[in-house]
């Protein structure tokens, strides 16, 4: 497990701002945080080197790209062995319909977020790319009606003084 990095209030403020707009300039960030642009650049560079900032992504609207139906596929793989799991995950990640793949504990081994054109496309994907694979024992499909982005990811708040540590 990766070690956490100690972040001060300026770092946290920068991370909050960058998660809301990764294209913000160092000058704009510095003005909002109250530091010099060079200090802002140094801090962001340090956060990248420490692995806190791991990249920048462009988010697209699946519906505008002809993929207006999204679903979560719960997948059970049997036998659940490393020599089958690696190639399965790489194949699923390579599918243009796949958005995210999660490896899980519990009765299902994977949760796959997919975006497809319509119900027929979803059926084709499930049958041709999932259930046709020998290692896939079961697929359960859940349609996504709506989704919301949540707030920025920040480290847990430190315990307050006098709080019980059960």
């Amino acid at each position: 497990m990766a070690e956490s990095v100690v972040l001060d209030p300026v770092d946290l403020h920068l991370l909050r701002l960058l998660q809301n707009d990764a294209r913000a300039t160092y000058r704009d960030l510095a003005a909002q945080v109250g530091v010099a642009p060079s200090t802002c650049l140094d801090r962001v560079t340090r956060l990248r080197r420490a692995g806190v900032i791991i990249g920048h992504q462009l988010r697209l609207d699946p519906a505008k790209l002809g993929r207006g139906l999204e679903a979560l596929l719960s997948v059970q793989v049997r036998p659940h062995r490393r020599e089958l799991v690696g190639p399965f995950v790489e194949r699923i990640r390579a599918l243009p319909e796949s958005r995210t793949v999660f490896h899980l504990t519990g009765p299902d081994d994977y949760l796959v977020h997919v975006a497809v054109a319509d119900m027929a496309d979803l059926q084709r994907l499930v049958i041709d790319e999932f259930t046709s694979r020998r290692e896939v024992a079961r697929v359960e499909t859940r349609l996504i009606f709506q989704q919301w982005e949540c707030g920025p990811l920040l480290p847990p708040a430190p315990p307050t003084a006098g709080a019980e540590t059960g």
Side-chain angles (χ1 to χ4, degrees):
M1 188 156 111
E3 292 183 31
S4 63
V5 176
V6 176
L7 303 170
D8 67 17
V10 173
D11 293 332
L12 294 173
H13 195 175
L14 282 170
L15 291 173
R16 205 177 276 114
L17 293 169
L18 285 169
Q19 285 185 81
N20 289 327
D21 181 7
R23 293 176 35 177
T25 66
Y26 291 116
R27 180 177 297 175
D28 290 342
L29 290 169
Q32 291 180 66
V33 175
V35 297
S38 60
T39 301
C40 182
L41 172 62
D42 290 345
R43 283 178 174 263
V44 172
T45 300
R46 181 179 53 80
L47 292 167
R48 281 194 183 105
R49 284 192 183 128
V52 174
I53 297 174
I54 57 174
H56 305 276
Q57 293 183 332
L58 179 67
R59 291 182 14 224
L60 304 174
D61 183 344
K64 301 268 169 96
L65 298 173
R67 297 184 181 276
L69 181 64
E70 294 185 70
L72 296 172
L73 308 179
S74 299
V75 182
Q76 191 177 70
V77 174
R78 292 293 176 260
H80 194 184
R81 293 193 318 248
R82 190 170 300 279
E83 63 270 14
L84 294 175
V85 164
F88 171 77
V89 169
E90 290 312 308
R91 173 67 187 134
I92 298 312
R93 289 184 67 212
L95 294 172
E97 298 88 353
S98 294
R99 305 284 313 246
T100 310
V101 180
F102 298 95
H103 193 189
L104 308 172
T105 62
D108 296 316
D109 300 310
Y110 296 94
L111 184 65
V112 184
H113 177 193
V114 299
V116 295
D118 53 29
M119 195 63 76
D121 195 26
L122 179 59
Q123 182 181 23
R124 176 209 50 82
L125 178 71
V126 170
I127 292 171
D128 294 347
E129 301 295 346
F130 285 86
T131 60
S132 66
R133 297 184 63 90
R134 283 183 288 138
E135 69 272 26
V136 174
R138 184 179 62 78
V139 175
E140 192 172 297
T141 305
R142 291 175 179 83
L143 298 179
I144 298 173
F145 291 137
Q146 195 170 4
Q147 63 184 344
W148 296 268
E149 293 291 325
C150 297
L153 178 65
L154 297 172
T160 58
E164 292 184 34
T165 58

